[in-house]
Amino acid sequence: MGNIWFADRRSSRVMTSDPPPPGAAPARPGEPVAIVGVAALDPGTLDDVVVDVARFGIPPLQARSMNRMQLLMLETARRCLADAGHPARPLPAERTDVVTGLCFALDRQHANALRVELPRYAREVARAAVAAGADPDSAARAGDELRGLLTRRLGGSPHDRVGEMASTIPARVAAAFTLRGRTLAVESAEATSFVALAHALEQLRAKGSDAVLVLTGQRDESPYAAWALDEKGRGGGGRGSGAGVTPGAGAARGAGAARRAGQASGAGRPSDPPLSARPLTPGVGAVLLKRLSDAVRDQDRVYATILDCTLRHDPRPGCFRPSRSAELRQRTATASLRAAGVDPGTVQYVEYVDSAVPTGAEATAFLAGPVATSNPSTPVATIDPTDPTDPTGPEPTGPTGPEPAAGPPHRPPDAVRLGTGDGRAFAHAGLASLLKVALALHQGRYPDQAAVPDAEPGGTVPRSPQPGAPWPTGVRAGVPRRAVVQGASLTGTFSHLVLEEHPGPTAGGPRAGDRPGPRGRTRRAWAAATRAVPVAVVGLGGRFAGAADAAGFWRVVSSGRTRIGPVPDTVLDRDLYHSPGALSLTHSYTDQGGHVPVPDEPPEDLAVLPPRYAALDGAQRLALAVAAELFVPRQVLGGRGVVAVGGTLGPTRERRAHAGLVLDGLEETVVGLPALAGLSALGQKRLLERLRERTGRVGGGLPPALLDGCLASGVAALLANEYGLDAVPLAVEAACASSLAALDVAVAALRSGTADYALAGGVELACNVRDMVLCSALGLLSHSRNAPFDAGADGFTPGDGCGLFLLKRYDDARRDGDTVHGVIRAVGASNDAKSLIAPDVAGQVRAMQRAFAQVDFEPCTVDYLEAHGTGTKVGDRVEIAAAARLYAGGPRAEPLRIGSAKSFFGHTFAAAGSAGLLRTLLALRAGTLPPNTLLRTLNPALGLAAIPAEILTEARPWTRPPGRPRRAAVSSFGTGGINYHVLVEEHREEGSGPR
């Protein structure tokens, strides 16, 4: 991502990139991005880092619910900003984004899932005890003793639902430092860091942001992930492979990790691991990024500049496994070097971050091609420009061509040095290498590490640098030191990052007390902007309560009848978890929801074998079913793409697996309960046998497909691979705004030209006992049913669902003859930086203003607002007040119509924005203003007359205003003050498209 034209005339250094694809926006200056702040915590002491929560304004009650990674990232963010001179030096806080990269569930997520699962397990203990000969009273006491013991160890708070979320981390950082840009968390297996950096580059180069704080982190939160990861490496990569392999020599270390995880959860000692496992490598780090021109203007210290970050994906159906395609690796590197305008012969150091799963292919085979054996007299383009499969296009010539080449005809084998990163650092792997290389460039010394062994005599593989050896100046006069960081992920993504030293006069850097240099005029968030490239929705699909597809969705909306009702007993065990009217840490006071059954079988046109399908998370299965609707008829998608799916970074599949692992280790605790002291040794043996039978825990090996269901980005990777999409997959979490945050990522990639198509949306199964209990504890759920804007609204009702959208640039869609369901004109984003829970009028207005800064029409020309509409009195009132601030201006021929899909399908959390967008697009297509349901008495405190606005309770024709298309807006707001606002326009076949 981020391959755009740039010419830096001040330094007489010309940089080039791929020519813009057809239909792309006029190229913005793709200038280098400066690293102006860095920080990293010592991996060996992460558990010892003491974080003063009071310093960040965190109440003690909330602090008890925070996951450990949130504390570590807060401290890392503080150090990074301090390294950049903040707060003494000004930071463009209004337009500073916070992007975090994480992978696998966090400790608080594991603890909460285990705490909610305990009552079920305790009941099975009591039943097994009776079957083993214990009297019923003793058996019941044993269950109570077990629950009490573990509940005390696990802890619990009403704020657990907010504290456990991955998206709370960037939101908490934004609040702590009053940063009001976009906030989101991303995950893409070992490519996580690169995905976060690529998105940051796109936003900075498009001037959507003025600074981006990127944080990544990885901890070994559970031995389950490490075991599944190692078995993935041993199990091979065949389609549907499920056979295990003999454990290796690391079993003792894996057992230790399991014991530590059990102790951290307060649940006793889990059983010994079934297989060997190397723990994940811990680490937390951060970089603060700015456009180079801004950094120079502000007299920032610049550690290094990022010239390019290119990502490519190799789609292969079947179990996730790293790609062995040396050709695609080569093409990724060549495209990235060309985009950076860098002659491969000028690169002096290459760091390779391999996948945590070995492929059997040597990394050096990849590295030796575009860099190590390059001929400086050869142009940057090493791919045949006439090759129609070449994604990079022909090499530009003339004044914007590559740097003039000079030097020897062949590069000596020791001209480039090779280092290795740690793929087991997973989400942090790429950023850890970036930090290491950037600091080395700044210090003029090679990275202080041992790298891969030297090549055999006579070989061409580059030699490793000596630890801390001096880094010579560029390969020729006027060429700065340059380096590359490359990576690969187990889902099939290749990453390539090009870095360069910044030898400017500010290289020594400012001290925290230095006065800032002169600054240009601050750009207001709503200042006029260059018209953004319209994006067409060329495909859509959805599955929500009572609606198996998009057509069914619209039938439900048209009917005016809600699909919210009692969730099945298979979802909510009412004997254990339902307690009407009571606020509790262990029960839900409601049993209502918009339930969607998880598919039992994959779509007919996909060859997903049963063992692998059984290992997938429910959200993955649901998304696969919706994708089958989206891709009927099958489409040929040319070029490069991105698959961004909003969801929870911590899938249910992994949380349940961890809980099962810990519960398996409770056998000694169970037989030692005082209430069962009367059982004989034979009785104890029978108890454990019955318990294993009743809980289905019979042990056995772990199949290689097991890890597939534990990755949040596995939803996107599954869609990319099974449908053969050359599209980088990633998961996005922005709380209840996740779908629109994913849409924002996709639209940014299309507008920058780094993607030719995008698949975006969201999925979540919110009707689960864990979320219902956790949300009830904070009093978020309605005691009846979701009723947005009603005077009696008292909270939301959870709902399951998935909505997906296929996107192209509007001109490309017209050229290709695609059906256009609607046109996305703008996506605005902001963070309140005020409260994690309470909505804020100013923050929501800020997102709306940033959306309208991208278009050439006024808010008074928007006909319909699909509101977030959670159905809480405060939330509804704040949302309407924010809309009044913007939509009340200007002459309005008709009242603004406002609605919310939640009254029909419930609050689908990460999928909420996709439900709102789907409803809006279908309404545009039908020419019908959609109704609301469950609205009995309109809340008089909303102040609709000030806009003026109207909330419909029945469908009405949507009359097209004279001289313009129908227009709508979609809002989605998430816990943590995360705000998104999307502007949508109908496509008119008879017209000329968006004006």
Side-chain angles (χ1 to χ4, degrees):
M1 300 183 185
N3 308 344
I4 311 175
W5 299 84
F6 172 66
D8 186 354
R9 302 189 183 281
R10 292 170 300 173
S11 63
S12 298
R13 178 166 57 81
V14 179
M15 303 177 61
T16 65
S17 76
D18 302 347
R28 295 181 182 273
E31 65 177 294
V33 169
I35 302 172
V36 300
V38 298
L41 301 183
D42 181 355
T45 61
L46 288 186
D47 292 336
D48 300 324
V49 174
V50 177
V51 180
D52 182 5
V53 295
R55 158 184 243 162
F56 300 109
I58 300 170
L61 183 61
Q62 291 185 19
R64 291 200 297 271
S65 296
M66 293 170 63
N67 56 71
R68 176 66 177 169
M69 184 60 75
Q70 189 175 147
L71 293 171
L72 295 175
M73 284 196 168
L74 271 169
E75 177 61 18
T76 307
R78 183 191 68 79
R79 297 185 186 187
C80 182
L81 294 176
D83 182 68
H86 183 77
R89 293 178 58 77
L91 188 69
E94 281 290 319
R95 292 169 51 80
T96 296
D97 298 348
V98 182
V99 181
T100 59
L102 301 149
C103 193
F104 300 120
L106 303 167
D107 55 359
R108 193 66 239 168
Q109 293 174 328
H110 285 312
N112 291 340
L114 182 58
R115 178 165 58 84
V116 173
E117 182 65 20
L118 274 177
R120 199 189 323 264
Y121 186 77
R123 181 175 64 183
E124 296 307 324
V125 167
R127 291 174 175 176
V130 171
D135 65 86
D137 289 342
S138 296
R141 285 200 309 276
D144 291 340
E145 288 173 354
L146 182 63
R147 288 180 60 176
L149 172 67
L150 298 181
T151 298
R152 287 191 298 274
R153 293 182 183 177
L154 290 167
S157 160
H159 293 274
D160 280 346
R161 172 63 175 143
V162 176
E164 73 165 18
M165 296 163 60
S167 56
T168 300
I169 299 177
R172 181 78 75 178
V173 170
F177 301 102
T178 321
L179 308 177
R180 296 190 174 92
R182 56 178 51 78
T183 55
L184 66 157
V186 299
E187 188 259 286
S188 187
E190 299 100 319
T192 297
S193 294
F194 298 99
V195 163
L197 291 165
H199 181 61
L201 263 63
E202 286 176 345
Q203 293 298 342
L204 287 168
R205 287 175 167 173
K207 299 190 184 299
S209 309
D210 289 335
V212 182
L213 179 61
V214 178
L215 301 112
T216 63
Q218 188 67 61
R219 294 180 72 223
D220 199 17
E221 308 277 13
S222 168
Y224 184 86
W227 293 347
L229 186 62
D230 282 2
E231 180 56 23
K232 170 76 70 173
R234 280 189 299 272
R239 288 178 63 92
S241 175
V245 182
T246 303
R253 180 165 50 178
R259 284 191 290 271
R260 289 192 298 275
Q263 292 162 1
S265 297
R269 183 185 71 81
S271 57
D272 288 340
L275 298 169
S276 64
R278 291 189 299 125
L280 299 176
T281 302
V284 181
V287 292
L288 180 63
L289 307 176
K290 295 171 72 173
R291 289 180 291 273
L292 179 58
S293 59
D294 290 350
V296 170
R297 177 199 66 198
D298 297 341
Q299 298 183 13
D300 291 320
R301 169 181 50 206
V302 178
Y303 286 99
T305 59
I306 302 175
L307 305 184
D308 178 73
C309 185
T310 291
L311 303 168
R312 291 294 303 275
H313 187 70
D314 183 12
R316 296 131 306 118
C319 290
F320 296 153
R321 62 215 183 274
S323 172
R324 297 173 181 260
S325 174
E327 178 186 0
L328 186 58
R329 297 187 188 205
Q330 293 271 5
R331 294 166 73 86
T332 304
T334 302
S336 181
L337 290 166
R338 176 188 295 169
V342 166
D343 182 339
T346 65
V347 175
Q348 297 169 284
Y349 179 79
V350 178
E351 174 117 332
Y352 184 70
V353 188
D354 206 345
S355 168
V357 176
T359 64
E362 295 294 335
T364 51
F366 175 28
L367 301 173
V371 172
T373 60
S374 67
N375 181 343
S377 64
T378 302
V380 173
T382 59
I383 301 176
D384 182 0
T386 63
D387 181 358
T389 65
D390 176 9
T392 62
E395 175 64 20
T397 59
T400 56
E403 295 172 342
H410 296 287
R411 195 168 192 192
D414 62 348
V416 61
R417 309 298 180 93
L418 177 63
T420 55
D422 186 355
R424 299 291 291 203
F426 237 78
H428 184 52
L431 190 66
S433 289
L434 170 67
L435 285 166
K436 179 168 59 178
V437 176
L439 287 170
L441 284 166
H442 183 63
Q443 296 163 359
R445 304 187 72 85
Y446 281 116
D448 186 7
Q449 71 157 25
V452 298
D454 291 349
E456 296 181 0
T460 59
V461 176
R463 299 187 308 178
S464 307
Q466 295 299 317
W471 189 327
T473 55
V475 296
R476 53 182 179 266
V479 176
R481 297 180 180 94
R482 287 173 178 159
V484 162
V485 178
Q486 302 173 335
S489 80
L490 69 88
T491 51
T493 298
F494 293 125
S495 312
H496 194 278
L497 192 70
V498 183
L499 296 168
E500 182 176 275
E501 71 171 331
H502 178 67
T506 60
R511 293 182 297 274
D514 287 350
R515 293 179 61 82
R519 299 177 63 87
R521 184 175 62 183
T522 301
R523 181 181 185 274
R524 297 192 306 167
W526 55 90
T530 303
R531 178 186 171 196
V533 175
V535 172
V537 180
V538 299
L540 50 79
R543 184 172 293 194
F544 294 85
D549 51 24
F553 183 98
W554 186 245
R555 284 194 296 271
V556 170
V557 170
S558 300
S559 74
R561 297 194 305 272
T562 185
R563 292 304 184 266
I564 297 173
V567 299
D569 291 336
T570 53
V571 173
L572 180 69
D573 188 324
R574 287 167 172 76
D575 291 338
L576 286 180
Y577 297 110
H578 186 213
S579 180
L583 279 178
S584 164
L585 296 181
T586 57
H587 292 75
S588 171
Y589 53 73
T590 182
D591 65 349
Q592 299 290 299
H595 174 64
V596 175
V598 175
D600 294 324
E601 297 180 351
E604 293 182 358
D605 61 337
L606 297 181
V608 182
L609 296 184
R612 180 166 187 251
Y613 193 73
L616 297 179
D617 186 76
Q620 292 173 310
R621 297 190 197 181
L622 186 61
L624 204 60
V626 174
E629 175 191 0
L630 186 77
F631 289 119
V632 173
R634 283 292 189 105
Q635 302 182 43
V636 178
L637 296 172
R640 293 169 291 176
V642 62
V643 181
V645 180
T648 298
L649 302 193
T652 295
R653 184 73 175 86
E654 185 197 353
R655 299 193 207 190
R656 287 179 177 170
H658 172 83
L661 177 67
V662 175
L663 293 175
D664 277 351
L666 291 176
E667 293 186 349
E668 292 179 11
T669 302
V670 169
V671 297
L673 292 170
L676 300 179
L679 276 182
S680 65
L682 180 59
Q684 293 177 354
K685 179 180 179 182
R686 288 176 177 172
L687 184 153
L688 296 181
E689 290 174 348
R690 299 295 186 275
L691 185 60
R692 291 167 191 156
E693 291 173 359
R694 298 190 66 88
T695 59
R697 309 186 196 285
V698 295
L702 303 177
L706 190 62
L707 189 69
D708 295 12
C710 296
L711 289 172
S713 63
V715 176
L718 185 69
L719 301 182
N721 292 351
E722 295 300 327
Y723 284 96
L725 306 179
D726 178 6
V728 176
L730 71 151
V732 179
E733 184 183 317
C736 303
S738 296
S739 290
L740 297 193
L743 185 78
D744 188 32
V745 170
V747 168
L750 288 167
R751 287 176 171 172
S752 72
T754 61
D756 301 307
Y757 63 88
L759 185 63
V763 59
E764 186 151 358
L765 299 170
C767 292
N768 66 79
V769 65
R770 181 191 69 247
D771 283 335
M772 293 180 74
V773 167
L774 294 179
C775 290
S776 287
L778 199 54
L780 299 176
L781 301 183
S782 171
H783 290 265
S784 54
R785 292 184 296 183
N786 229 110
F789 314 119
D790 194 272
D794 63 347
F796 61 79
T797 303
D800 302 330
C802 175
L804 296 174
F805 309 93
L806 184 60
L807 312 173
K808 287 185 178 181
R809 287 179 291 273
Y810 181 77
D811 288 348
D812 290 356
R814 296 286 286 162
R815 176 200 65 201
D816 298 339
D818 294 315
T819 297
V820 177
H821 300 280
V823 184
I824 296 170
R825 296 297 310 275
V827 183
S830 74
N831 188 278
D832 294 343
K834 185 176 181 181
S835 170
L836 289 184
I837 301 174
D840 178 63
V841 172
Q844 294 181 12
V845 169
R846 192 176 294 113
M848 297 176 187
Q849 290 169 334
R850 290 173 180 170
F852 278 99
Q854 303 168 35
V855 297
D856 53 0
F857 55 82
E858 298 297 322
C860 62
T861 66
V862 171
D863 311 308
Y864 174 72
L865 170 62
E866 175 68 23
H868 189 56
T870 55
T872 65
K873 283 186 172 63
V874 174
D876 290 350
R877 187 174 67 250
V878 167
E879 183 169 8
I880 298 302
R885 290 263 191 101
L886 204 75
Y887 286 98
R892 181 175 289 281
E894 296 283 341
L896 175 69
R897 271 61 184 233
I898 299 176
S900 172
K902 292 178 180 59
S903 59
F904 289 92
F905 307 103
H907 189 353
T908 52
F909 294 8
S914 66
L917 181 59
L918 180 62
R919 188 166 114 121
T920 301
L921 291 168
L922 294 175
L924 283 169
R925 189 170 69 182
T928 301
L929 291 162
N932 296 274
T933 188
L934 300 179
L935 181 59
R936 301 292 179 261
T937 303
L938 186 67
N939 185 348
L942 295 179
L944 296 174
I947 300 178
E950 182 181 8
I951 296 176
L952 301 179
T953 56
E954 59 182 22
R956 290 186 190 174
W958 190 341
T959 305
R960 180 178 294 133
R964 68 167 177 86
R966 301 179 180 96
R967 293 188 180 124
V970 182
S971 286
S972 200
F973 310 128
T975 303
I978 302 173
N979 309 303
Y980 280 87
H981 195 68
V982 177
L983 299 178
V984 185
E985 198 170 77
E986 74 170 328
H987 165 66
R988 296 179 295 170
E989 289 291 347
E990 72 278 8
S992 57
R995 293 182 299 128

